[in-house]
Amino acid sequence: MPDVNQAAQLLVGGLAAGTLYALVALGIVLLYRASRVLNFAHGDLATAATFVAFTLMAGGWGFPLASAAALAAAGMFAAGVYLVVLRPAREATLLGRIVVTLGLALVLNGLTTAVWGAETKVFPFPLSDTRVYRLGGVVVSQLSLGLMGAGLVLVAALYLVVQHTRAGLAMRAVAQHMEAAQALGIPARRILAFTWGLAGALGAAAGILTAPATLLDPAMMLDPFLKGFAGAVLGGMDSLPGAVLGGLCLGVLEALFAGYVSVKFKTTFAFLVIVLTLMLRPEGLLGREVRRRA
């Protein structure tokens, strides 16, 4: 009979990891809904923003102010990428736009390595991974609780922006039908730039929350990005709630798989999820089924 405490411990750990995957997945889905672009530079931009926060804190800035500045810088950079790079290439094929974002990822990774070096660094964080709390038979670190709480706040903030602001209404209109939105007077170019900026800030937040749980280095977001992408596919590439659900489900399934099956294949489990999802339900858990007429 499975140990209930062990299962609960794995569940908590999976939810903490799944929160980070959900934040990455939200940024990926936000851009895909708005501009049908899979941004493979999402993780590298998050890494660069985290290094910016690290540098500001090393210069004497407090964690909240340094993090806010890094999020703002990532948002402005992502909006600039859309206006300067992606918008002129809007007539390119889907593969061509993917190659553009891949090239941008390589450039960002190279610049990050050149500026900050390839050696790992410890990211200062106000919460401790060694201070723990006992909830029954489950041990939860202060850091894990903080990550889950911060993730919940960010998801709620995004929901409020998308569902209860004029900018969010314009974002939904542009994502639904850009030409019709423009005919109604919505400035689609500015709205898309705003969407890219919002996704960039979300990615930066995911990077800042990931860094304390790992060591800070130029490749630290590779694994979270791949897991976030898998979560987006699992939840549905056109569904923001699906991105959250997919990220959380992936984190929990991954933790249970590592705990009861094999730790060795934990990293490849996300790719198995992608393959199974595309085989059994290509639109994802909460995605809309697309029907085409012959």
Side-chain angles (χ1 to χ4, degrees), residues 11-21 143-145 147-148 248 251-252:
L11 178 64
V12 171
L15 287 174
T19 300
L20 298 176
Y21 302 161
L143 177 60
S144 294
L145 287 175
L147 293 183
M148 288 188 282
L248 293 175
V252 171

Side-chain angles (χ1 to χ4, degrees), residues 214-241:
T214 62
L215 291 174
L216 181 59
D217 70 79
M220 73 164 194
M221 284 300 291
L222 177 59
D223 187 68
F225 171 74
L226 294 174
K227 303 295 177 60
F229 182 71
V233 173
L234 177 61
M237 289 297 295
D238 62 349
S239 172
L240 293 176

Side-chain angles (χ1 to χ4, degrees), residues 43-101:
D44 292 281
L45 175 57
T47 301
T50 306
F51 269 102
V52 169
F54 173 81
T55 302
L56 292 176
M57 283 188 282
W61 291 40
F63 176 81
L65 189 57
S67 299
L71 263 63
M76 289 187 289
F77 182 84
V81 165
Y82 168 74
L83 292 172
V84 176
V85 180
L86 268 301
R87 187 173 178 271
R90 65 185 182 277
E91 300 300 328
T93 63
L94 175 61
L95 179 59
R97 284 176 288 174
I98 288 175
V99 170
V100 169
T101 64

Side-chain angles (χ1 to χ4, degrees), residues 132-172:
V132 298
Y133 305 99
R134 286 192 173 274
L135 305 174
V138 179
V139 177
V140 186
S141 70
Q142 188 184 66
L143 177 60
S144 294
L145 287 175
L147 293 183
M148 288 188 282
L152 181 62
V153 169
L154 289 169
V155 169
L158 179 65
Y159 172 80
L160 291 176
V161 169
V162 173
Q163 296 294 332
H164 297 286
T165 65
R166 293 183 63 182
L169 178 61
M171 286 168 59
R172 285 181 280 141

Side-chain angles (χ1 to χ4, degrees), residues 174-189:
V174 170
Q176 188 72 25
H177 200 293
M178 184 183 297
E179 289 76 15
Q182 287 176 315
L184 292 173
I186 295 175
R189 182 176 64 176

